[in-house]
Amino acid sequence: MSAAILLTRVLFVAGSALLVFRAVTHLLAGDDPVRLVAGLFMVAYLAWVVLETRVTFQEPSQEAAESRTLTAYASARTVVGICAVLPAVPWTAWSPWLAAPIAVFGAGIALRFAAIRALGRQYTHQVVKRDDHELVTHGPYRMLRHPAYSGMLLANAGFVGFFLNPAAVVALGLLAAALGWRIVTEERVLWSLAGYPAFAATRARLIPGVW
């Protein structure tokens, strides 16, 4: 196992442990509604992380085209969670506006899982071009080239929006940068796939009308 992959896994375990600790701390805070919702939100985020664990640590059936972007992307994603939950929740009272970032999180999760379902067995966290690779154009792929990444970024933006602090905002920016690097690298691998250039010409990569 390379040092980069080991670092990614250590960060994953540390981030998950911190999420559990902070969630329990908030859930035991008594009758404070903001901390109660914050604790439940952390549990939801942790459940999402756990649901993807099988794929996160799965070795690809074929050799990965590269691993540097996976390390950067996975590390940035973990750092976002750590930076979001480590400080105290900035809100002192419940407001209906706090439901907005939770809704954004839910929308991101829904988009990501819809994209994963559309990809089926081709979904992996590694950049791999299979011998039997098929171009997927249904589901969210009718509108975007990388909707799983869009959903992941949207969900993390909602999480950061609730636990709003400067470190988490910076970490979210780093995650967006890591995603951009990963997408550009991934598309170099996919460009020789039959039909991919035409597919890419009619869809944004991550955000409609932006990029």
Side-chain angles (χ1 to χ4, degrees):
M1 182 186 300
S2 69
I5 292 176
L6 179 60
L7 173 62
T8 301
R9 295 188 176 184
V10 168
L11 280 173
F12 176 87
V13 172
S16 298
L18 177 63
L19 273 167
V20 171
F21 173 75
R22 293 296 285 161
V24 171
T25 301
H26 284 294
L27 291 172
L28 295 178
D31 58 354
D32 184 338
V34 174
R35 295 195 65 183
L36 175 61
V37 173
L40 292 173
F41 201 177
M42 292 177 193
V43 170
Y45 190 93
L46 183 63
W48 171 34
V49 170
V50 170
L51 280 173
E52 295 201 19
T53 300
R54 181 182 62 83
V55 180
T56 300
F57 296 119
Q58 183 182 57
E59 294 296 329
S61 58
Q62 296 179 215
E63 184 178 356
E66 60 85 42
S67 60
R68 293 178 303 162
T69 62
L70 175 62
T71 301
Y73 155 61
S75 298
R77 180 178 176 180
T78 302
V79 170
V80 167
I82 292 173
C83 290
V85 305
L86 195 55
V89 180
W91 320 114
T92 57
W94 174 257
S95 165
W97 288 106
L98 292 179
I102 297 174
V104 170
F105 174 81
I109 295 294
L111 175 58
R112 182 166 175 81
F113 283 163
I116 291 172
R117 182 176 180 180
L119 282 177
R121 63 181 181 82
Q122 294 189 145
Y123 176 70
T124 175
H125 286 181
Q126 303 278 352
V127 177
V128 176
K129 183 182 176 183
R130 299 173 182 270
D131 294 334
D132 58 347
H133 206 122
E134 296 179 1
L135 184 62
V136 175
T137 59
H138 61 277
Y141 289 88
R142 291 195 300 266
M143 299 172 289
L144 292 166
R145 297 185 222 173
H146 304 281
Y149 292 147
S150 298
M152 192 276 300
L153 188 60
L154 188 64
N156 277 282
F159 196 67
V160 168
F162 188 94
F163 300 96
L164 195 59
N165 66 74
V169 172
V170 171
L172 184 65
L174 292 175
L175 175 59
L179 268 180
W181 179 30
R182 182 170 174 81
I183 286 171
V184 169
T185 302
E186 187 172 321
E187 289 197 334
R188 291 197 190 105
V189 175
L190 295 174
W191 206 257
S192 60
L193 183 65
Y196 194 84
F199 167 83
T202 57
R203 294 158 177 85
R205 293 181 178 91
L206 201 62
I207 305 172
V210 178
W211 187 67

